[in-house]
Amino acid sequence: KIKLYIEQELSRTDGGDGSYYRSNPLLQRIHDRMFHTISDASASLMHLTLDTSACDSMSRYGHWDDGGWNLCASSLPPADQPCVVYSFGINKDTSFDFDFVRRHPHCTIYAFDPSIGRETGDDFHPRIKFFNVGVSGKAKTEEVNGVVREMMTLEGVMSMLGHEWLDVLKIDIEKSGLHVLGDLVTSKKWVHVELWPVTQILAELHFS
């Protein structure tokens, strides 16, 4: 159902007024079962909530409000094994990233954000590597307020960094988030695999 949902989202052309979702019974069921609105004032902004019964150590990382994230710490690799985290969308809040490496010093976070005026290699921390690159559903360059931004696919980023598996994938990049998840669905590299190359996905998704 999730794959079908993403594929439909990527192909929809309803003008962004939300009518597509209201008229689609499948998306309504997914909404009812898996999403909750943050508030009436932001009905188009929803957070994915998961069945946590399989996790014995769900923890909050970073701020308790916007900028913080819940994840299952028990699913992370043990301290004697590599641990790779991708953090797409930083803005001015690195509370999640710093809290994560403080509690899991064997992990390395790769942080991406082309909108904050920071150059690739200007790392936040020895274990928080920064890249002045955005992620989207396709590789491209785009100009925003006179600034040219490089955009890559998730598959392209993983290939560039030599990663075959991610322990955590955090996505907080406004409407582009669905297209990044769509890359997992449509990529020729992963389209036929039973498991996506990610242990946990943390995502803030915007629907209109």
Side-chain angles (χ1 to χ4, degrees):
K1 287 184 177 181
I2 293 298
K3 286 187 176 184
L4 176 60
Y5 163 73
I6 295 172
E7 289 167 347
Q8 289 178 323
E9 164 59 23
L10 292 176
S11 63
R12 75 183 183 91
T13 56
D14 70 349
D17 63 359
S19 59
Y20 176 85
Y21 301 101
R22 290 192 294 271
S23 64
N24 187 295
L26 172 61
L27 296 188
Q28 282 292 305
R29 290 198 300 272
I30 293 175
H31 169 273
D32 293 341
R33 289 175 61 88
M34 301 187 67
F35 295 92
H36 65 87
T37 55
I38 301 302
S39 67
D40 291 338
S42 59
S44 65
L45 176 62
M46 303 181 184
H47 280 181
L48 185 64
T49 58
L50 302 177
D51 177 0
T52 60
S53 60
C55 178
D56 57 11
S57 60
M58 186 66 67
S59 300
R60 183 76 173 180
Y61 290 75
H63 293 150
W64 281 101
D65 54 4
D66 192 34
W69 298 83
N70 296 332
L71 64 83
C72 184
S74 60
S75 73
L76 296 173
D80 60 348
Q81 295 183 15
C83 170
V84 176
V85 178
Y86 279 13
S87 181
F88 289 115
I90 301 297
N91 201 352
K92 297 179 181 179
D93 188 346
T94 55
S95 62
F96 166 82
D97 310 270
F98 275 94
D99 193 16
F100 194 98
V101 297
R102 178 183 63 82
R103 293 156 73 174
H104 307 286
H106 65 299
C107 295
T108 299
I109 292 182
Y110 297 83
F112 306 83
D113 197 321
S115 69
I116 61 176
R118 195 180 188 100
E119 294 301 318
T120 296
D122 186 8
D123 299 336
F124 293 105
H125 182 278
R127 294 191 306 281
I128 306 177
K129 312 294 184 181
F130 180 77
F131 296 84
N132 184 29
V133 172
V135 66
S136 185
K138 63 180 180 178
K140 60 182 179 178
T141 57
E142 61 181 26
E143 185 173 339
V144 179
N145 297 325
V147 178
V148 177
R149 299 176 177 177
E150 180 184 3
M151 309 298 290
M152 301 179 66
T153 63
L154 175 61
E155 181 182 352
V157 171
M158 292 179 67
S159 177
M160 176 183 71
L161 297 177
H163 296 139
E164 293 292 330
W165 190 274
L166 306 180
D167 297 291
V168 178
L169 171 61
K170 190 213 81 178
I171 304 171
D172 190 0
I173 52 176
E174 306 302 319
K175 294 181 180 180
S176 295
L178 283 168
H179 296 283
V180 176
L181 295 181
D183 193 21
L184 286 170
V185 175
T186 60
S187 168
K188 293 181 180 179
K189 182 175 182 179
W190 301 316
V191 69
H192 297 301
V193 300
E194 292 185 6
L195 291 175
W196 290 339
V198 183
T199 302
Q200 291 189 73
I201 298 175
L202 317 177
E204 179 177 286
L205 305 179
H206 297 244
F207 297 127
S208 62

